Amino acid sequence: MNKDIMEENNNTSEVNRRGFFKSMAFMGATFMLPSGFDKIFAAAPSDKTIIKNKAPSIVMPERRILGTGKAAMEVSALGFGVMGMNYNRSQSPDKKQCIKLIHSAVEKGVTLFDTAIVYGPLINEEFAGEALRPFKGQVAITTKFGHEVINGKATGRQDSSRKTVRQYCEESLRRLKVETIELFYQHRFDRNTPVEDVAETIAELIKEGKVQRWGLCEVTPETIRRAHAVQPLTAIQSEYHMMWNVVEKNGVLDTCRELGIGFVPYSPINRGFLSGNLNEYTVFDNTNDNRQTLPRFTPDAMRANMKIVEVLNRFGRTRGMTSAQVAMGWLLAKAPWIVPIPGTTKISHLEENLRTLDFKCTPEEWLALEKEVLSISVVGDRYNAEQEKQVGH
Ligand SMILES: NC(=O)c1ccc[n+]([C@@H]2O[C@H](COP(=O)([O-])OP(=O)(O)OC[C@H]3O[C@@H](n4cnc5c(N)ncnc54)[C@H](OP(=O)(O)O)[C@@H]3O)[C@@H](O)[C@H]2O)c1
């Protein structure tokens, strides 16, 4: 697995700052001062304390390219996973606050936002469409089809038949409030529909302008090759982080490198665990958090796996990094065509995550960290048996 680390230089391109600030102009903040606070907040500043009104600052200017040729897509080096704003990550702030957070992510430089039809179902796409409407044409919302959803409920079956993909595409366009889907992933493999047929459906949608590019999630190298031969892929999205590196061993990353396909690691902080904010006493919302169904999130597993977080913390402490930043920095250092999509409901975590790009470690430092982490056995599977059946086809 070591050969992947830092074998290529980062392909960084500068953001067009002027255009970006212009588009951000509407974001000027206004404050309502409650009585009693004016002395602190509204006192006339002395010359020394005047701070020039700065345009919103881009925290993360780095850009990366997923895919090649006509399938290429330039995006921010870190994307944003929208899922947890109303699905699978326990409670979240109210919609207004979440929209503010999404706008802040755009302001700080994020151009890639990830959702899926099955998140909610449907309400996560609706939320992403509403929140990102002011930035139509400036940022990309990626979404996913495949899980069957009937009358707003997931059935647990897969359906990537031509008719359903076309229908789901139309419905996603409406919910996302866009004319074209920038990147449409197949969420899980459908045993009843060969991937070549799915690729042909997508090719039709691309010709019609309803979809720009496509990708696959949690598939094998063979499936990637078959799909790519019919319609070039932009990205593969699979789980990848310091506690789950199967894509390094099963040939998926090698295939992406060979074919010029980008890679988008989901759950890059292992669903929050690698941040150190979760522990054996964490209680997940039993109506809205899939972590309670995952073997790695039982109290025993979390207690045992905390050793890994301790390694990340030790590595970060002498470099000024948090463990979440170490986890994402390691992924970003793997290859310039890798774009993790962490999710958060907190502005402080957003800023922390985007600041990962401020730190540069040498390949030797990353390798030493990796060696130490790999010497610890992870306790608990990543998915339960039912969820595992749906991946790796
Ligand atoms: N293709 C697929 O099959 C698939 C599967 C799962 C997920 N995804 C995508 O991947 C995205 C991210 O995945 P994920 O939510 O599973 O995992 P993640 O990004 O690894 O972790 C998210 C969790 O970590 C916490 N967090 C984020 N930044 C933090 C920080 N700096 N410090 C402390 N805690 C932090 C968040 O809580 P706070 O809100 O408290 O920050 C949240 O609960 C999803 O939104 C979704 O778009 C795709």
Side-chain angles (χ1 to χ4, degrees), residues 81 89 114 188 237 267 269 271-272 343-346 349 353:
R89 291 291 167 267
D114 189 78
R188 290 291 182 267
Q237 184 180 130
S267 305
I269 317 172
R271 302 165 179 85
T344 183
T345 56
K346 298 186 180 66
H349 290 170
N353 296 346

Side-chain angles (χ1 to χ4, degrees), residues 299-314:
D300 283 351
M302 287 207 275
R303 190 182 316 118
N305 293 331
M306 202 50 85
K307 281 186 227 147
I308 296 171
V309 179
E310 281 160 17
V311 173
L312 268 58
N313 269 327
R314 251 197 325 275

Side-chain angles (χ1 to χ4, degrees), residues 2-13:
N2 295 350
K3 68 182 177 195
D4 286 324
I5 290 222
M6 290 297 283
E7 62 174 12
E8 290 145 271
N9 293 325
N10 281 355
N11 179 357
T12 306
S13 69

Side-chain angles (χ1 to χ4, degrees), residues 78 239-243 265-272 274 324 327-328 330-331 340-343:
L78 278 179
E239 181 167 351
Y240 183 31
H241 49 74
M242 296 207 87
M243 290 170 67
Y266 74 71
S267 305
I269 317 172
N270 189 15
R271 302 165 179 85
L274 291 172
M328 282 178 288
W330 175 81
L331 281 172
I341 46 167

Side-chain angles (χ1 to χ4, degrees), residues 86-101:
N86 55 18
Y87 183 62
N88 261 351
R89 291 291 167 267
S90 289
Q91 291 160 351
S92 51
D94 66 22
K95 192 160 99 180
K96 226 167 114 191
Q97 198 61 32
C98 287
I99 290 177
K100 221 166 128 187
L101 180 63

Side-chain angles (χ1 to χ4, degrees), residues 213-233:
R213 308 165 193 86
W214 81 305
L216 298 169
C217 300
E218 294 286 359
V219 285
T220 60
E222 198 210 330
T223 301
I224 296 172
R225 284 181 195 284
R226 284 167 48 201
H228 191 69
V230 179
Q231 178 63 43
L233 289 155

